[in-house]
């Protein structure tokens, strides 16, 4: 099954550099990487061009003009540009365990979307990782806030994994599903501007369509680099959009991925 890795980024090339290197080190490589770029400058463009020359797989760059936080639209552009049957989404500050893609493919199931977790690195651990170009971590590494999330165990994944219809804790920084399911709800809602709720609203429409949420425990491990929280000035409006989708049991958004679909 062909899998596309979608990486969302905005003006953080030092973090993206590590994320891409961890993607290159996967035991089961994705078949392509598409960078969902929400308006980064030349430094990010040059980094992608440089690493694309060394990459064992194709890297595509889906860039859009910087008009504020528009992660929903950036993801739609990148997914539309991709060609994988299965889509794995991460943020550009998530360093991947070598079995990350393998674990998502093992968990792939029609009728489900997959939600993975995060290992949180503190500020000092993040600075060290970037300074030393470190993308491998051990259980003994310093600066990890939730160390239990580092454990990868197939047995525990099988017995502790669960399916649900809950929206709480939805994050597309570690998320996967079949391509056809993304297009069946018209992808993310491009109208979301500013931090927050675009991923929950997308997941809500997937649930309204009848999909289930599949939570991964002790699998698909990813290390989240520390960063300052984004401003949340538009959050009330985004909350309103999410409530509308939930209350009206909406499946399709009017302004979604269809506008970027190739062919």
């Amino acid at each position: 099954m062909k899998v596309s890795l979608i990486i969302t980024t905005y003006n953080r090339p030092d973090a993206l550099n590590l994320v891409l290197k961890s993607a290159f080190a996967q035991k089961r490589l994705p078949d392509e990487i598409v960078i969902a770029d929400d308006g980064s400058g030349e430094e990010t463009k040059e980094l992608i061009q440089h690493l694309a020359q060394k990459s064992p797989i194709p890297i595509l760059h889906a860039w859009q003009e910087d008009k504020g936080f528009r992660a929903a639209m950036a993801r739609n552009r990148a997914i539309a540009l991709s060609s994988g049957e299965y889509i794995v989404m991460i943020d550009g500050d998530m360093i991947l365990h070598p079995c990350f893609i393998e674990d998502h493919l093992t968990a792939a199931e029609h009728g489900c979307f997959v939600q993975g977790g995060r290992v949180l690195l503190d500020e000092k651990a993040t600075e060290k990782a970037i300074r030393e170009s470190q993308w491998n971590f051990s259980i003994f590494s310093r600066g990890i806030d939730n160390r239990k999330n580092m454990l990868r165990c197939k047995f525990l994944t099988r017995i502790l994994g669960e399916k649900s219809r809950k929206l709480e804790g939805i994050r597309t920084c570690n998320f996967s599903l079949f391509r056809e399911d993304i297009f069946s709800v018209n992808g993310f809602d491009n109208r979301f501007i500013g931090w927050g709720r675009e991923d929950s609203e997308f997941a809500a429409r997937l649930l309204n369509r009848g999909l289930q949420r599949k939570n991964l425990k002790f699998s698909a491990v990813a290390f989240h680099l520390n960063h300052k929280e984004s401003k949340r000035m538009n959050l009330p409006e985004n909350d309103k959009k999410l409530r509308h989708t939930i209350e009206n049991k909406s499946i399709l958004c009017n302004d979604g991925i269809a506008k970027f679909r190739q062919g």
Side-chain angles (χ1 to χ4, degrees):
M1 181 165 62
K2 185 173 183 179
V3 57
S4 300
L5 177 63
I6 309 297
I7 305 176
T8 308
T9 193
Y10 174 70
N11 278 334
R12 202 175 177 195
D14 53 356
L16 182 61
N17 178 51
L18 294 184
V19 174
L20 284 169
K21 288 180 177 178
S22 73
F24 299 161
Q26 292 296 295
K27 291 184 178 179
R28 196 298 192 186
L29 285 168
D31 295 281
E32 65 180 2
I33 295 172
V34 187
I35 309 298
D37 191 340
D38 192 16
S40 300
E42 282 298 313
E43 190 175 355
T44 295
K45 179 181 177 181
E46 291 171 3
L47 171 71
I48 294 170
Q49 291 175 340
H50 172 71
L51 291 180
Q53 296 175 356
K54 302 179 179 181
S55 174
I57 51 177
I59 299 180
L60 305 176
H61 188 190
W63 182 88
Q64 66 186 19
E65 189 178 354
D66 185 359
K67 292 184 177 180
F69 190 104
R70 298 187 296 160
M73 184 178 288
R75 292 189 186 105
N76 278 340
R77 288 181 187 274
I79 294 167
L81 187 61
S82 72
S83 58
E85 177 186 353
Y86 198 72
I87 304 295
V88 179
M89 288 182 261
I90 64 170
D91 283 350
D93 54 12
M94 297 284 284
I95 298 177
L96 310 180
H97 183 282
C99 296
F100 182 85
I101 295 295
E102 176 186 319
D103 288 344
H104 268 282
L105 287 175
T106 298
E109 180 179 350
H110 285 284
C112 295
F113 60 87
V114 176
Q115 175 67 73
R118 300 179 297 171
V119 179
L120 302 175
L121 303 182
D122 67 18
E123 185 176 356
K124 287 185 177 180
T126 296
E127 290 174 354
K128 181 176 184 292
I130 291 173
R131 183 176 63 252
E132 299 181 2
S133 194
Q134 176 188 5
W135 65 89
N136 285 318
F137 301 91
S138 78
I139 197 71
F140 304 107
S141 297
R142 294 183 177 181
I144 295 173
D145 292 337
N146 51 347
R147 200 170 298 273
K148 65 179 179 60
N149 284 6
M150 292 185 66
L151 178 61
R152 179 179 180 268
C153 177
K154 292 183 178 180
F155 174 72
L156 290 177
T157 297
R158 286 195 298 269
I159 65 173
L160 295 178
E162 60 178 0
K163 294 178 183 178
S164 75
R165 298 185 57 78
K166 297 179 181 178
L167 274 178
E168 183 181 358
I170 288 290
R171 298 184 183 91
T172 47
C173 62
N174 186 345
F175 193 93
S176 68
L177 72 170
F178 282 91
R179 180 186 191 84
E180 62 189 22
D181 290 324
I182 297 173
F183 283 92
S184 74
V185 298
N186 200 18
F188 292 87
D189 189 333
N190 294 320
R191 298 174 304 159
F192 274 83
I193 298 174
W195 182 93
R197 310 299 186 255
E198 78 284 345
D199 40 13
S200 295
E201 194 276 339
F202 170 63
R205 285 185 283 112
L206 291 170
L207 292 171
N208 291 341
R209 185 177 172 273
L211 274 72
Q212 289 183 291
R213 169 181 176 169
K214 191 173 186 179
N215 295 311
L216 282 188
K217 304 289 186 182
F218 304 109
S219 186
V221 177
F223 301 86
H224 187 208
L225 295 170
N226 185 272
H227 60 83
K228 294 181 180 179
E229 290 190 353
S230 300
K231 294 181 180 179
R232 305 183 180 189
M233 296 176 63
N234 210 42
L235 191 56
E237 182 63 27
N238 290 350
D239 279 330
K240 183 179 178 180
K241 292 186 179 73
L242 173 58
R243 285 195 303 271
H244 182 273
T245 292
I246 294 172
E247 292 169 1
N248 290 275
K249 299 182 179 179
S250 304
I251 294 175
L252 295 172
C253 60
N254 292 327
D255 186 1
I257 198 170
K259 74 188 316 179
F260 303 119
R261 194 162 193 169
Q262 306 294 305

